[in-house]
Coordinates of all heavy atoms in Angstrom, one line a residue:
M8 N 0.9 -1.2 0.0 CA 0.0 0.0 0.0 C 0.8 1.3 0.0 O 0.7 2.2 -0.7 CB -0.9 0.0 1.3 CG -2.1 0.9 1.2 SD -3.1 0.4 -0.3 CE -4.0 2.0 -0.5
K9 N 1.8 1.2 0.8 CA 2.7 2.4 1.0 C 3.5 2.6 -0.3 O 3.6 3.8 -0.8 CB 3.7 2.2 2.1 CG 4.2 3.4 2.7 CD 5.0 3.2 3.9 CE 5.7 4.5 4.4 NZ 6.6 4.2 5.5
S10 N 4.0 1.6 -0.9 CA 4.8 1.7 -2.2 C 3.9 2.1 -3.3 O 4.4 2.9 -4.2 CB 5.4 0.4 -2.5 OG 4.5 -0.6 -2.9
K11 N 2.6 1.8 -3.3 CA 1.8 2.3 -4.3 C 1.6 3.8 -4.2 O 1.6 4.5 -5.2 CB 0.4 1.6 -4.1 CG -0.5 1.7 -5.4 CD -1.7 0.8 -5.2 CE -2.6 0.9 -6.4 NZ -3.9 0.2 -6.2
A12 N 1.5 4.3 -2.9 CA 1.3 5.7 -2.7 C 2.6 6.5 -3.2 O 2.5 7.5 -3.9 CB 1.1 6.0 -1.2
I13 N 3.7 5.8 -3.0 CA 5.0 6.5 -3.4 C 5.0 6.5 -5.0 O 5.4 7.6 -5.6 CB 6.2 5.7 -2.9 CG1 6.3 5.9 -1.4 CG2 7.5 6.1 -3.6 CD1 7.3 5.1 -0.7
L14 N 4.6 5.4 -5.6 CA 4.5 5.4 -7.1 C 3.6 6.5 -7.6 O 4.1 7.3 -8.5 CB 4.0 4.1 -7.5 CG 5.0 3.0 -8.0 CD1 4.3 1.8 -8.4 CD2 5.8 3.6 -9.2
I15 N 2.5 6.7 -6.9 CA 1.6 7.7 -7.4 C 2.1 9.1 -7.3 O 2.1 9.9 -8.2 CB 0.2 7.6 -6.7 CG1 -0.5 6.3 -7.1 CG2 -0.7 8.8 -6.9 CD1 -1.7 5.9 -6.3
M16 N 2.9 9.3 -6.1 CA 3.5 10.6 -5.9 C 4.6 10.9 -6.9 O 4.7 12.0 -7.4 CB 4.0 10.6 -4.5 CG 3.0 11.1 -3.5 SD 3.5 11.1 -1.8 CE 5.0 12.1 -1.8
A17 N 5.4 9.8 -7.3 CA 6.4 10.0 -8.2 C 5.9 10.3 -9.6 O 6.3 11.3 -10.3 CB 7.3 8.7 -8.3
A18 N 4.7 9.7 -10.0 CA 4.1 10.0 -11.2 C 3.6 11.4 -11.2 O 3.8 12.1 -12.3 CB 3.0 9.0 -11.5
M19 N 3.0 11.9 -10.2 CA 2.5 13.2 -10.0 C 3.6 14.2 -10.2 O 3.5 15.3 -10.9 CB 1.7 13.4 -8.8 CG 0.3 12.9 -8.9 SD -0.6 12.8 -7.4 CE -0.4 14.5 -6.8
T20 N 4.7 14.0 -9.5 CA 5.9 14.9 -9.6 C 6.4 14.9 -11.0 O 6.7 16.1 -11.5 CB 7.0 14.3 -8.7 OG1 6.5 14.1 -7.4 CG2 8.1 15.3 -8.6
A21 N 6.5 13.8 -11.7 CA 7.0 13.8 -13.1 C 6.1 14.6 -14.0 O 6.5 15.4 -14.7 CB 7.2 12.4 -13.6
L22 N 4.8 14.4 -13.7 CA 3.8 15.2 -14.5 C 4.0 16.7 -14.3 O 3.9 17.4 -15.2 CB 2.4 14.8 -14.1 CG 1.8 13.6 -15.0 CD1 0.4 13.3 -14.5 CD2 1.7 14.1 -16.4
S23 N 4.0 17.1 -13.0 CA 4.1 18.5 -12.8 C 5.4 19.2 -13.3 O 5.4 20.3 -13.7 CB 3.9 18.8 -11.2 OG 4.9 18.2 -10.6
L24 N 6.5 18.3 -13.3 CA 7.8 18.9 -13.8 C 7.7 19.1 -15.3 O 8.0 20.1 -15.8 CB 8.9 17.9 -13.5 CG 9.5 17.9 -12.1 CD1 10.6 16.9 -12.0 CD2 9.9 19.3 -11.7
S25 N 7.1 18.1 -16.0 CA 7.0 18.3 -17.5 C 6.0 19.4 -17.8 O 6.0 20.0 -18.9 CB 6.6 17.0 -18.1 OG 5.3 16.7 -17.8
A26 N 5.1 19.8 -16.9 CA 4.2 20.9 -17.2 C 5.0 22.3 -17.0 O 4.4 23.2 -17.6 CB 3.0 20.9 -16.2
F27 N 6.1 22.3 -16.5 CA 6.8 23.5 -16.4 C 7.5 23.9 -17.7 O 8.4 23.3 -18.2 CB 8.0 23.4 -15.4 CG 7.6 23.9 -14.0 CD1 7.5 23.0 -12.9 CD2 7.4 25.2 -13.7 CE1 7.1 23.4 -11.6 CE2 7.0 25.7 -12.5 CZ 6.9 24.7 -11.5
A28 N 6.9 24.8 -18.4 CA 7.4 25.2 -19.7 C 8.7 26.1 -19.4 O 8.9 26.5 -18.3 CB 6.4 26.1 -20.5
A29 N 9.6 26.2 -20.4 CA 10.8 27.0 -20.2 C 10.4 28.4 -19.8 O 9.4 28.9 -20.4 CB 11.5 27.0 -21.5
D30 N 11.0 29.0 -18.9 CA 10.7 30.3 -18.4 C 11.6 31.3 -19.1 O 12.8 31.5 -18.8 CB 11.0 30.3 -16.8 CG 10.6 31.6 -16.2 OD1 10.5 32.6 -16.9 OD2 10.4 31.6 -15.0
G31 N 11.0 32.0 -20.0 CA 11.7 33.0 -20.8 C 12.4 34.1 -20.0 O 13.5 34.5 -20.3
A32 N 11.7 34.6 -18.9 CA 12.2 35.7 -18.1 C 13.5 35.2 -17.4 O 14.5 35.9 -17.3 CB 11.1 36.1 -17.2
E33 N 13.4 33.9 -17.0 CA 14.6 33.4 -16.3 C 15.7 33.2 -17.2 O 16.9 33.5 -16.9 CB 14.1 32.0 -15.6 CG 14.8 31.6 -14.4 CD 15.1 32.7 -13.4 OE1 14.1 33.4 -12.9 OE2 16.3 32.9 -13.2
V34 N 15.5 32.7 -18.4 CA 16.5 32.5 -19.4 C 17.2 33.9 -19.8 O 18.4 34.0 -19.8 CB 15.9 31.9 -20.7 CG1 17.0 31.9 -21.8 CG2 15.5 30.5 -20.4
Y35 N 16.3 34.8 -19.9 CA 16.8 36.2 -20.3 C 17.7 36.7 -19.2 O 18.8 37.2 -19.4 CB 15.6 37.1 -20.6 CG 16.1 38.5 -21.0 CD1 16.3 38.8 -22.4 CD2 16.4 39.5 -20.2 CE1 16.8 40.0 -22.8 CE2 16.9 40.7 -20.6 CZ 17.1 41.0 -21.9 OH 17.6 42.2 -22.3
K36 N 17.2 36.6 -17.9 CA 17.9 37.1 -16.8 C 19.3 36.5 -16.7 O 20.3 37.2 -16.4 CB 17.1 36.9 -15.5 CG 17.3 38.0 -14.5 CD 16.3 37.9 -13.3 CE 16.7 36.9 -12.3 NZ 15.7 36.7 -11.4
S37 N 19.3 35.2 -16.9 CA 20.6 34.5 -16.7 C 21.5 34.5 -17.9 O 22.8 34.5 -17.7 CB 20.4 33.0 -16.2 OG 19.8 32.3 -17.3
K38 N 21.0 34.6 -19.1 CA 21.8 34.5 -20.4 C 22.0 35.9 -21.1 O 22.9 36.0 -21.8 CB 21.3 33.5 -21.3 CG 21.1 32.1 -20.8 CD 22.3 31.4 -20.5 CE 22.0 29.9 -20.0 NZ 23.1 29.4 -19.4
C39 N 21.1 36.7 -21.1 CA 21.0 37.9 -22.0 C 21.2 39.2 -21.3 O 21.7 40.1 -21.9 CB 19.7 37.9 -22.8 SG 19.1 36.2 -23.2
A40 N 20.7 39.3 -20.0 CA 20.6 40.6 -19.4 C 22.1 41.2 -19.1 O 22.2 42.4 -19.1 CB 19.9 40.5 -18.0
S41 N 23.1 40.4 -19.0 CA 24.4 40.8 -18.8 C 24.9 41.7 -19.9 O 25.5 42.8 -19.6 CB 25.4 39.6 -18.6 OG 25.4 38.9 -19.8
C42 N 24.4 41.5 -21.1 CA 24.8 42.4 -22.2 C 23.6 43.3 -22.5 O 23.8 44.6 -22.8 CB 25.2 41.6 -23.5 SG 26.7 40.9 -23.4
H43 N 22.4 42.8 -22.7 CA 21.2 43.5 -23.2 C 20.5 44.2 -22.0 O 19.6 45.1 -22.4 CB 20.3 42.6 -23.9 CG 20.8 42.1 -25.2 ND1 20.9 43.0 -26.3 CD2 21.3 40.9 -25.6 CE1 21.4 42.2 -27.3 NE2 21.7 41.0 -26.9
G44 N 20.9 44.0 -20.8 CA 20.3 44.8 -19.7 C 18.9 44.2 -19.3 O 18.2 43.6 -20.2
A45 N 18.5 44.4 -18.1 CA 17.2 43.8 -17.7 C 16.0 44.3 -18.5 O 15.1 43.6 -18.7 CB 17.0 44.2 -16.1
D46 N 16.2 45.6 -19.0 CA 15.0 46.2 -19.7 C 15.3 46.2 -21.2 O 14.5 46.7 -22.0 CB 14.9 47.6 -19.2 CG 16.2 48.5 -19.5 OD1 17.1 47.9 -19.8 OD2 16.1 49.7 -19.3
G47 N 16.4 45.6 -21.6 CA 16.6 45.4 -23.1 C 17.5 46.6 -23.6 O 17.9 46.6 -24.8
A48 N 17.9 47.5 -22.8 CA 18.6 48.7 -23.2 C 20.0 48.6 -22.5 O 20.5 49.6 -22.0 CB 17.9 50.0 -22.9
G49 N 20.6 47.4 -22.4 CA 21.9 47.3 -21.7 C 23.0 48.1 -22.4 O 23.2 48.0 -23.7
P50 N 23.9 48.8 -21.7 CA 24.9 49.6 -22.3 C 26.0 48.7 -23.1 O 26.6 49.1 -24.0 CB 25.5 50.3 -21.1 CG 25.1 49.6 -19.9 CD 23.8 49.0 -20.3
M51 N 26.1 47.5 -22.6 CA 27.2 46.6 -23.1 C 26.9 46.2 -24.5 O 27.6 46.4 -25.4 CB 27.3 45.3 -22.2 CG 28.2 44.3 -22.8 SD 29.9 44.8 -22.7 CE 30.4 43.9 -21.2
A52 N 25.6 45.7 -24.8 CA 25.2 45.3 -26.1 C 25.2 46.5 -27.0 O 25.6 46.4 -28.2 CB 23.8 44.6 -26.0
K53 N 24.8 47.6 -26.5 CA 24.7 48.8 -27.3 C 26.2 49.2 -27.8 O 26.4 49.5 -29.0 CB 24.2 50.0 -26.5 CG 23.6 51.1 -27.3 CD 22.9 52.1 -26.3 CE 22.0 53.0 -27.0 NZ 21.0 53.5 -26.1
K54 N 27.1 49.1 -26.9 CA 28.5 49.4 -27.2 C 29.0 48.5 -28.3 O 29.8 48.8 -29.2 CB 29.3 49.3 -25.9 CG 30.4 50.4 -25.8 CD 31.0 50.6 -24.5 CE 32.1 49.6 -24.1 NZ 32.4 49.7 -22.7
L55 N 28.6 47.3 -28.3 CA 29.0 46.3 -29.2 C 28.2 46.2 -30.5 O 28.4 45.4 -31.4 CB 29.0 44.8 -28.6 CG 29.9 44.6 -27.3 CD1 29.6 43.3 -26.7 CD2 31.3 44.7 -27.7
G56 N 27.2 47.1 -30.6 CA 26.6 47.3 -31.9 C 25.2 46.9 -32.0 O 24.6 46.7 -33.1
S57 N 24.5 46.4 -30.8 CA 23.1 46.0 -30.8 C 22.1 47.2 -30.7 O 22.5 48.2 -30.0 CB 22.9 45.1 -29.8 OG 21.5 44.7 -29.7
R58 N 21.0 47.1 -31.3 CA 20.0 48.1 -31.0 C 19.4 47.7 -29.7 O 19.6 46.6 -29.1 CB 18.8 48.0 -32.0 CG 19.2 48.6 -33.3 CD 18.0 48.4 -34.4 NE 17.9 47.0 -34.8 CZ 17.1 46.5 -35.7 NH1 16.2 47.4 -36.3 NH2 17.0 45.2 -36.0
D59 N 18.8 48.7 -29.0 CA 18.1 48.4 -27.7 C 16.9 47.4 -28.0 O 16.1 47.7 -29.0 CB 17.5 49.6 -27.1 CG 18.6 50.5 -26.5 OD1 19.7 50.1 -26.4 OD2 18.2 51.8 -26.3
L60 N 16.9 46.3 -27.3 CA 15.8 45.4 -27.6 C 14.4 45.8 -27.2 O 13.4 45.3 -27.6 CB 16.1 44.0 -26.8 CG 17.5 43.4 -27.1 CD1 17.5 42.0 -26.5 CD2 17.6 43.2 -28.7
N61 N 14.3 47.0 -26.5 CA 13.1 47.5 -26.1 C 12.7 48.7 -27.1 O 11.6 49.3 -26.9 CB 13.0 48.0 -24.7 CG 14.0 49.1 -24.4 OD1 14.7 49.5 -25.3 ND2 14.0 49.5 -23.1
S62 N 13.5 48.9 -28.1 CA 13.2 50.1 -29.0 C 12.1 49.6 -30.0 O 12.0 48.4 -30.4 CB 14.5 50.5 -29.7 OG 14.9 49.4 -30.6
A63 N 11.3 50.5 -30.4 CA 10.3 50.3 -31.3 C 10.9 49.8 -32.6 O 10.4 48.9 -33.3 CB 9.5 51.5 -31.7
D64 N 12.1 50.4 -33.0 CA 12.8 50.0 -34.3 C 13.1 48.5 -34.2 O 12.8 47.7 -35.1 CB 14.0 50.8 -34.4 CG 14.7 50.6 -35.7 OD1 14.0 50.6 -36.7 OD2 15.9 50.5 -35.7
F65 N 13.7 48.0 -33.1 CA 14.1 46.6 -33.0 C 12.8 45.7 -33.0 O 12.8 44.6 -33.6 CB 14.9 46.4 -31.8 CG 15.0 44.8 -31.5 CD1 15.7 44.0 -32.2 CD2 14.2 44.4 -30.4 CE1 15.7 42.6 -32.0 CE2 14.1 43.0 -30.2 CZ 14.9 42.1 -30.9
Q66 N 11.8 46.2 -32.3 CA 10.6 45.4 -32.1 C 9.8 45.2 -33.4 O 8.9 44.3 -33.5 CB 9.7 46.0 -31.0 CG 10.2 45.8 -29.6 CD 10.1 44.4 -29.0 OE1 9.3 43.7 -29.5 NE2 10.9 44.1 -28.0
K67 N 10.2 45.8 -34.5 CA 9.7 45.6 -35.8 C 10.2 44.2 -36.4 O 9.6 43.7 -37.4 CB 10.0 46.7 -36.8 CG 9.2 47.9 -36.6 CD 9.6 49.0 -37.7 CE 9.3 50.4 -37.3 NZ 10.3 51.3 -37.8
S68 N 11.3 43.7 -35.8 CA 11.8 42.4 -36.2 C 10.8 41.3 -36.1 O 10.0 41.4 -35.1 CB 13.1 42.0 -35.4 OG 13.9 43.1 -35.2
S69 N 10.9 40.3 -37.0 CA 9.8 39.2 -36.8 C 10.4 38.3 -35.7 O 11.6 38.3 -35.4 CB 9.7 38.5 -38.2 OG 10.9 37.8 -38.4
D70 N 9.5 37.4 -35.2 CA 9.9 36.4 -34.2 C 11.0 35.5 -34.8 O 11.9 35.1 -34.2 CB 8.7 35.6 -33.9 CG 7.8 36.2 -32.9 OD1 8.1 37.4 -32.5 OD2 6.8 35.7 -32.5
A71 N 10.8 35.2 -36.2 CA 11.8 34.4 -36.9 C 13.2 35.0 -36.9 O 14.2 34.4 -36.6 CB 11.3 34.1 -38.4
D72 N 13.3 36.3 -37.1 CA 14.5 37.1 -37.1 C 15.2 36.9 -35.7 O 16.4 36.7 -35.6 CB 14.4 38.5 -37.4 CG 14.0 38.8 -38.9 OD1 14.2 37.9 -39.7 OD2 13.5 39.9 -39.1
I73 N 14.4 37.2 -34.7 CA 15.0 37.2 -33.3 C 15.4 35.8 -33.0 O 16.5 35.6 -32.4 CB 13.9 37.7 -32.3 CG1 13.4 39.1 -32.7 CG2 14.5 37.7 -30.9 CD1 12.3 39.6 -31.8
T74 N 14.6 34.7 -33.4 CA 15.0 33.4 -33.1 C 16.3 33.0 -33.9 O 17.2 32.5 -33.3 CB 13.9 32.4 -33.6 OG1 12.6 32.8 -33.0 CG2 14.2 31.0 -33.3
T75 N 16.4 33.4 -35.1 CA 17.7 33.2 -35.9 C 18.9 33.8 -35.2 O 20.0 33.1 -35.1 CB 17.5 33.6 -37.4 OG1 16.4 33.1 -37.9 CG2 18.8 33.3 -38.2
I76 N 18.8 35.1 -34.9 CA 19.9 35.7 -34.2 C 20.3 35.0 -32.9 O 21.4 34.9 -32.6 CB 19.6 37.2 -34.0 CG1 19.6 37.9 -35.4 CG2 20.7 37.9 -33.1 CD1 19.3 39.4 -35.4
T77 N 19.2 34.7 -32.1 CA 19.5 34.0 -30.9 C 20.2 32.7 -31.1 O 21.1 32.3 -30.3 CB 18.3 33.9 -30.1 OG1 17.6 35.2 -29.9 CG2 18.5 33.4 -28.6
K78 N 19.7 32.0 -32.1 CA 20.3 30.6 -32.4 C 21.7 30.7 -32.9 O 22.7 30.0 -32.5 CB 19.5 29.9 -33.3 CG 18.3 29.2 -32.7 CD 17.6 28.2 -33.7 CE 16.6 27.4 -33.1 NZ 15.7 26.8 -34.1
N79 N 21.9 31.6 -33.9 CA 23.2 31.6 -34.7 C 24.1 32.7 -34.2 O 25.3 32.7 -34.7 CB 22.8 31.8 -36.2 CG 21.9 30.7 -36.7 OD1 21.8 29.6 -36.1 ND2 21.3 31.0 -37.8
G80 N 23.7 33.7 -33.5 CA 24.6 34.8 -33.1 C 24.8 35.7 -34.3 O 24.3 35.4 -35.4
K81 N 25.5 36.7 -34.0 CA 25.8 37.7 -35.1 C 26.8 38.6 -34.5 O 26.7 39.2 -33.5 CB 24.5 38.5 -35.4 CG 24.6 39.4 -36.6 CD 23.3 40.1 -36.7 CE 23.5 41.3 -37.7 NZ 22.3 42.3 -37.5
G82 N 27.9 38.9 -35.2 CA 29.0 39.7 -34.7 C 29.4 39.3 -33.3 O 29.8 38.1 -33.1
K83 N 29.3 40.2 -32.3 CA 29.8 39.9 -31.0 C 28.6 39.2 -30.2 O 28.8 38.8 -29.0 CB 30.1 41.2 -30.2 CG 31.2 41.9 -30.9 CD 32.6 41.8 -30.1 CE 33.8 42.2 -30.9 NZ 33.8 43.5 -31.6
M84 N 27.5 39.1 -30.8 CA 26.4 38.3 -30.1 C 26.7 36.8 -30.1 O 26.8 36.3 -31.2 CB 25.1 38.7 -30.9 CG 23.9 37.8 -30.7 SD 23.1 38.1 -29.1 CE 22.1 36.6 -29.0
P85 N 26.7 36.1 -29.0 CA 27.0 34.7 -28.9 C 25.8 33.9 -29.5 O 24.7 34.3 -29.5 CB 27.2 34.4 -27.5 CG 26.9 35.6 -26.7 CD 26.5 36.7 -27.6
A86 N 26.2 32.8 -30.2 CA 25.1 31.8 -30.6 C 24.7 30.9 -29.5 O 25.4 30.4 -28.7 CB 25.7 31.0 -31.7
Y87 N 23.3 30.7 -29.4 CA 22.8 29.9 -28.3 C 22.3 28.6 -28.8 O 21.8 27.8 -27.9 CB 21.7 30.7 -27.5 CG 22.4 31.8 -26.7 CD1 22.5 33.1 -27.2 CD2 22.9 31.4 -25.4 CE1 23.3 34.0 -26.4 CE2 23.5 32.4 -24.7 CZ 23.7 33.7 -25.2 OH 24.3 34.6 -24.4
A88 N 22.3 28.2 -30.0 CA 22.0 26.9 -30.5 C 22.8 25.9 -29.8 O 24.0 26.1 -29.8 CB 22.1 26.8 -32.0
G89 N 22.2 24.9 -29.2 CA 23.1 23.9 -28.5 C 23.3 24.2 -27.0 O 23.5 23.4 -26.2
K90 N 23.3 25.6 -26.8 CA 23.4 25.9 -25.3 C 21.9 26.1 -24.7 O 21.8 25.7 -23.5 CB 24.0 27.3 -25.3 CG 25.5 27.2 -25.5 CD 26.2 28.6 -25.3 CE 27.3 28.9 -26.3 NZ 27.6 30.3 -26.4
L91 N 21.0 26.5 -25.5 CA 19.6 26.6 -25.0 C 18.8 25.6 -25.9 O 19.1 25.5 -27.1 CB 19.1 28.0 -25.1 CG 19.7 29.1 -24.3 CD1 19.2 30.4 -24.7 CD2 19.4 28.8 -22.8
S92 N 17.8 25.0 -25.3 CA 16.9 24.2 -26.1 C 15.9 25.0 -27.0 O 15.8 26.2 -26.7 CB 16.0 23.3 -25.2 OG 15.1 24.1 -24.4
D93 N 15.4 24.5 -27.9 CA 14.4 25.2 -28.8 C 13.3 25.8 -27.9 O 12.9 26.9 -28.2 CB 13.8 24.2 -29.9 CG 14.8 24.0 -31.0 OD1 15.9 24.6 -31.0 OD2 14.5 23.2 -31.8
D94 N 12.9 25.0 -26.9 CA 11.9 25.6 -26.0 C 12.3 26.8 -25.3 O 11.6 27.8 -25.2 CB 11.7 24.5 -24.8 CG 10.4 23.7 -25.1 OD1 9.9 23.7 -26.3 OD2 10.0 22.9 -24.2
E95 N 13.6 26.8 -24.8 CA 14.1 27.9 -24.1 C 14.2 29.1 -25.0 O 13.9 30.3 -24.7 CB 15.4 27.6 -23.4 CG 15.3 26.6 -22.2 CD 16.6 26.1 -21.8 OE1 17.5 25.8 -22.5 OE2 16.7 26.1 -20.5
I96 N 14.7 28.9 -26.2 CA 14.8 30.0 -27.2 C 13.5 30.5 -27.6 O 13.3 31.8 -27.5 CB 15.6 29.5 -28.5 CG1 17.1 29.2 -28.1 CG2 15.5 30.5 -29.6 CD1 18.0 28.6 -29.2
G97 N 12.4 29.7 -27.8 CA 11.1 30.1 -28.1 C 10.6 31.0 -26.9 O 10.0 32.1 -27.1
A98 N 10.9 30.6 -25.7 CA 10.4 31.3 -24.5 C 11.1 32.6 -24.3 O 10.5 33.7 -24.0 CB 10.6 30.5 -23.2
V99 N 12.4 32.7 -24.6 CA 13.2 33.9 -24.4 C 12.8 34.9 -25.6 O 12.7 36.1 -25.3 CB 14.7 33.7 -24.3 CG1 15.3 33.6 -25.7 CG2 15.3 34.8 -23.5
V100 N 12.5 34.4 -26.7 CA 12.0 35.3 -27.8 C 10.7 36.0 -27.5 O 10.4 37.2 -27.6 CB 11.9 34.6 -29.2 CG1 11.2 35.3 -30.3 CG2 13.2 34.1 -29.7
K101 N 9.8 35.1 -26.8 CA 8.5 35.7 -26.4 C 8.8 36.8 -25.3 O 8.1 37.8 -25.3 CB 7.7 34.6 -25.7 CG 6.7 34.0 -26.8 CD 5.6 33.2 -26.0 CE 4.9 32.2 -26.9 NZ 4.9 30.9 -26.3
F102 N 9.7 36.4 -24.4 CA 10.0 37.4 -23.3 C 10.6 38.8 -23.9 O 10.2 39.8 -23.5 CB 11.0 36.8 -22.3 CG 11.3 37.9 -21.2 CD1 10.5 38.1 -20.2 CD2 12.5 38.5 -21.3 CE1 10.8 39.1 -19.2 CE2 12.9 39.6 -20.3 CZ 11.9 39.8 -19.3
V103 N 11.5 38.7 -24.9 CA 12.0 39.8 -25.5 C 10.9 40.7 -26.1 O 10.9 41.9 -26.0 CB 13.0 39.4 -26.7 CG1 13.3 40.6 -27.6 CG2 14.3 38.9 -26.1
R104 N 9.8 40.1 -26.6 CA 8.6 40.9 -27.0 C 8.1 41.7 -25.9 O 7.5 42.8 -26.2 CB 7.6 39.9 -27.5 CG 7.8 39.3 -28.9 CD 7.7 40.3 -29.9 NE 8.0 39.8 -31.2 CZ 8.6 40.5 -32.2 NH1 8.9 41.8 -32.0 NH2 8.8 40.0 -33.4
T105 N 8.1 41.2 -24.7 CA 7.4 41.9 -23.6 C 8.3 43.2 -23.1 O 7.8 43.9 -22.4 CB 7.2 41.0 -22.4 OG1 8.5 40.7 -21.7 CG2 6.5 39.7 -22.7
L106 N 9.5 43.3 -23.7 CA 10.4 44.4 -23.3 C 9.9 45.7 -23.9 O 10.3 46.8 -23.5 CB 11.8 44.2 -23.7 CG 12.5 42.9 -22.9 CD1 13.8 42.7 -23.5 CD2 12.6 43.2 -21.4
K107 N 9.2 45.6 -25.0 CA 8.7 46.8 -25.8 C 8.2 47.9 -24.9 O 7.4 47.7 -24.0 CB 7.6 46.3 -26.7 CG 7.3 47.4 -27.7 CD 6.3 46.8 -28.8 CE 6.0 47.9 -29.8 NZ 5.1 47.4 -30.8
K108 N 8.8 49.0 -25.1 CA 8.4 50.3 -24.3 C 7.0 50.6 -24.5 O 6.5 50.6 -25.6 CB 9.3 51.4 -24.7 CG 10.8 51.3 -24.0 CD 11.5 52.6 -24.2 CE 12.2 52.6 -25.6 NZ 13.4 53.5 -25.6
Ligands
LIG215 C1 28.2 39.0 -24.9 C2 27.1 39.9 -25.0 C3 25.6 39.4 -25.4 C4 24.9 38.4 -24.8 C5 25.2 37.6 -23.6 C6 23.7 38.4 -25.6 N1 23.8 39.3 -26.7 FE1 22.3 39.6 -28.1 N2 23.6 40.9 -29.0 C7 24.8 41.2 -28.6 C8 25.4 42.1 -29.6 C9 26.8 42.7 -29.5 C10 24.5 42.2 -30.7 C11 24.6 43.0 -32.0 C12 25.1 42.1 -33.0 C13 25.3 42.8 -34.4 O1 24.4 43.3 -35.0 O2 26.5 42.8 -34.8 C14 23.3 41.5 -30.2 C15 22.1 41.4 -30.9 C16 21.1 40.8 -30.6 C17 19.7 40.8 -31.3 C18 19.5 41.6 -32.5 C19 19.3 43.0 -32.2 C20 19.2 43.9 -33.4 O3 19.7 45.0 -33.3 O4 18.5 43.5 -34.3 C21 18.9 40.0 -30.5 C22 17.5 39.7 -30.8 C23 19.6 39.5 -29.3 N3 20.9 40.0 -29.4 C24 19.1 38.7 -28.4 C25 19.8 38.1 -27.4 C26 19.3 37.1 -26.5 C27 17.9 36.6 -26.6 C28 20.3 36.7 -25.6 C29 20.2 35.7 -24.5 C30 19.8 34.4 -24.9 C31 21.4 37.5 -26.0 N4 21.1 38.3 -27.0 C32 22.6 37.6 -25.4 C33 25.4 40.8 -27.5 C34 25.0 39.9 -26.5

């Protein structure tokens, strides 16, 4: 009886873990904010040639463009393909959208 209860609990834990989608805000904070800043207007990325990610001009970029740059990098921007999962990249692209001023 006891082992059955443990099994059920293990199954429930596994289910609730898989229900956690990648957290875009968390990915951004840990991987991107050092250059792009918490608000998207980080002085480091700007110095290296990036537009502010919260600027209206940048926000005209399509999700596909943002995904490609995040995956493949560009100039001094590091590539994240292989470092982040597609789920995480999708989530961080969504988060970048929320930075819009
Ligand atoms: C080492 C600093 C650095 C880190 C860390 C970094 N970036 Fe960048 N990023 C840059 C630079 C520099 C550019 C400008 C590249 C160019 O155009 O030459 C850039 C450009 C971009 C662009 C395109 C901006 C434009 O002007 O069109 C996007 C989108 C972007 N980064 C997203 C991200 C995301 C998402 C992350 C985290 C997963 C991230 N970056 C992490 C430095 C960084």
Side-chain angles (χ1 to χ4, degrees):
M8 199 58 203
K9 205 170 174 190
S10 66
K11 200 172 179 187
I13 289 171
L14 261 179
I15 289 170
M16 274 175 54
M19 280 169 54
T20 308
L22 268 178
S23 63
L24 281 179
S25 65
F27 266 112
D30 183 340
E33 209 37 60
V34 173
Y35 185 88
K36 210 167 85 188
S37 65
K38 307 282 182 201
C39 322
S41 57
C42 287
H43 289 287
D46 62 351
M51 175 71 101
K53 203 175 197 155
K54 218 161 85 188
L55 298 173
S57 175
R58 285 178 288 183
D59 289 345
L60 300 186
N61 61 3
S62 67
D64 188 43
F65 164 75
Q66 289 284 340
K67 284 185 203 142
S68 317
S69 68
D70 284 1
D72 289 343
I73 303 177
T74 305
T75 303
I76 289 180
T77 305
K78 278 191 174 165
N79 303 339
K81 187 182 166 198
K83 301 252 163 52
M84 160 80 195
Y87 285 93
K90 290 185 212 161
L91 294 174
S92 68
D93 284 354
D94 262 10
E95 287 170 320
I96 291 176
V99 83
V100 169
K101 266 199 203 126
F102 178 77
V103 163
R104 286 288 181 214
T105 69
L106 295 173
K107 189 173 182 177
K108 277 189 275 201

